[in-house]
Amino acid sequence: MGDFSERHGTRIAAAFLVVVTILAALMFTGGQTSKILSTVGSAVGDPKGGGGSGSTQGGGNGSGSDPAGGSGSGSGADGGGQVADAAGEVPTLLIVRTGELTIEVPDLGAALRDGDAAVLHAGGYISGSNRSSDAGGDTATETYRIPSAAWGTTLDALHGLASTVVAEQIQTDEVSGQVVDLTARIANLQATEAALQAIMARAAKISDVLDVQAQLTATRGDIEKAVAEKAHLQDRASYGSLAVTYRLPVVPSPTRTPVVPKGWDPGDDVARASTKLVGIGQATTSIGIWLAIVGLPVAVGGLVLVAAIWQLYRLARWLIRRREAMVPEA
């Protein structure tokens, strides 16, 4: 009886241990998945700080592929091409050159042809062109992209076309540090992406899959943005930008000769007074001539007319008085 009870108690204890072990295994598996997801989520939020964590987790999975989801496998395929190139070696020194040059040339058409030919011969190209004409003359502006290695020689060739260098401004910006930082950031993001792909392959819950997918999409976007920014900096460093303005010499406008004021000159006063007197004499003589030729006949004619009217008036009065004398008194 005692042996039976002992064996029965042993079986119950063993079954209890098995159940407890299964429950503990299930709880441990779910907690580990949540912990890994949380760690990688922090890595995505801070690529530099979480890069090491992502790299450690990514190292546990060799391929990082997602046979169930096309999104994870597609990101891994892209990482082998564009991202691998972005994380390659960075040149020791990258300098972005930009500048503006204004020159006067004797022949605008010939200068444009020679300037374009010099840039094309150096391996560059023309990225923009503008030509205008105004009161100041014809001008043309060409925007050149010049290889960094041929910047100096091409600039000297453009100087040789000028009769006068009116203005010149050259700027340089060293971007090697920015490219190195972008390269490191791309590598950290790539490691984080690999860790997320590994978690995607092991995730069992739909909520975990959706969370990892969202972080994969954000990480892929950060990678592509960093790769594009790095490529843009490298392109600007490989080809400098120079805006050259060609113009004809400015024709100087005629200037008036300044009049020097004279001092007091008695001779000048005598000359002006004599001129005035002569003018008065001429005017008086002209008036006398007009009076002699025109005024005198008019005056004589006027007197004759007045005398005739007066005589007629007297005759009329005499006739009136005589008629009154001949009338008899009543």
Side-chain angles (χ1 to χ4, degrees):
M1 186 68 180
D3 294 339
F4 177 76
S5 298
E6 184 178 357
R7 288 195 301 270
H8 184 68
T10 302
R11 290 176 182 176
I12 292 175
F16 179 75
L17 288 174
V18 170
V19 172
V20 170
T21 302
I22 293 173
L23 291 176
L26 292 175
M27 292 176 63
F28 177 76
T29 302
Q32 184 180 15
T33 302
S34 300
K35 181 178 180 181
I36 294 174
L37 182 61
S38 176
T39 302
V40 176
S42 301
V44 174
D46 184 8
K48 293 185 178 180
S53 173
S55 299
T56 303
Q57 294 169 6
N61 192 341
S63 61
S65 60
D66 181 14
S71 175
S73 61
S75 300
D78 293 339
Q82 185 178 7
V83 176
D85 294 339
E89 294 184 359
V90 179
T92 305
L93 187 63
L94 291 176
I95 298 178
V96 176
R97 295 177 175 86
T98 56
E100 296 180 357
L101 178 64
T102 302
I103 59 176
E104 287 185 353
V105 294
D107 187 342
L108 188 60
L112 284 172
R113 289 192 300 269
D114 295 341
D116 294 349
V119 172
L120 296 176
H121 180 73
Y125 60 93
I126 304 168
S127 63
S129 180
N130 183 28
R131 186 164 182 171
S132 61
S133 178
D134 53 18
D138 293 341
T139 60
T141 301
E142 301 282 288
T143 302
Y144 298 127
R145 297 298 305 277
I146 304 171
S148 179
W151 177 270
T153 56
T154 306
L155 191 60
D156 291 339
L158 293 173
H159 284 168
L161 302 176
S163 57
T164 303
V165 176
V166 179
E168 182 176 5
Q169 182 180 6
I170 305 296
Q171 296 178 347
T172 59
D173 186 14
E174 200 271 326
V175 296
S176 302
Q178 299 179 39
V179 175
V180 170
D181 291 343
L182 287 172
T183 303
R185 185 165 182 259
I186 291 169
N188 289 338
L189 289 171
Q190 186 179 5
T192 302
E193 183 183 38
L196 288 170
Q197 291 172 351
I199 294 173
M200 177 74 78
R202 297 197 304 268
K205 296 181 180 180
I206 295 178
S207 59
D208 292 343
V209 172
L210 294 177
D211 289 341
V212 174
Q213 181 63 39
Q215 295 190 35
L216 266 174
T217 302
T219 303
R220 168 50 48 183
D222 292 340
I223 291 174
E224 292 177 352
K225 181 179 178 180
V227 169
E229 186 175 353
K230 177 184 175 182
H232 178 65
L233 286 175
Q234 290 176 331
D235 176 70
R236 291 182 59 199
S238 299
Y239 285 84
S241 179
L242 180 65
V244 181
T245 300
Y246 302 88
R247 76 183 193 187
L248 297 174
V250 179
V251 179
S253 58
T255 58
R256 294 182 178 180
T257 304
V259 178
V260 180
K262 296 181 179 180
W264 179 70
D265 186 3
D268 185 56
D269 289 343
V270 171
R272 286 187 296 168
S274 300
T275 303
K276 190 71 173 177
L277 181 60
V278 171
I280 294 174
Q282 291 176 350
T284 303
T285 304
S286 297
I287 293 173
I289 293 173
W290 277 89
L291 289 176
I293 297 176
V294 178
L296 184 59
V298 171
V300 171
L303 291 175
V304 171
L305 180 62
V306 170
I309 294 174
W310 174 252
Q311 292 298 327
L312 289 175
Y313 173 73
R314 289 181 64 186
L315 179 61
R317 289 188 64 183
W318 179 78
L319 290 175
I320 292 172
R321 286 196 302 266
R322 184 177 180 183
R323 184 180 296 178
E324 290 178 350
M326 291 176 66
V327 174
E329 294 180 0

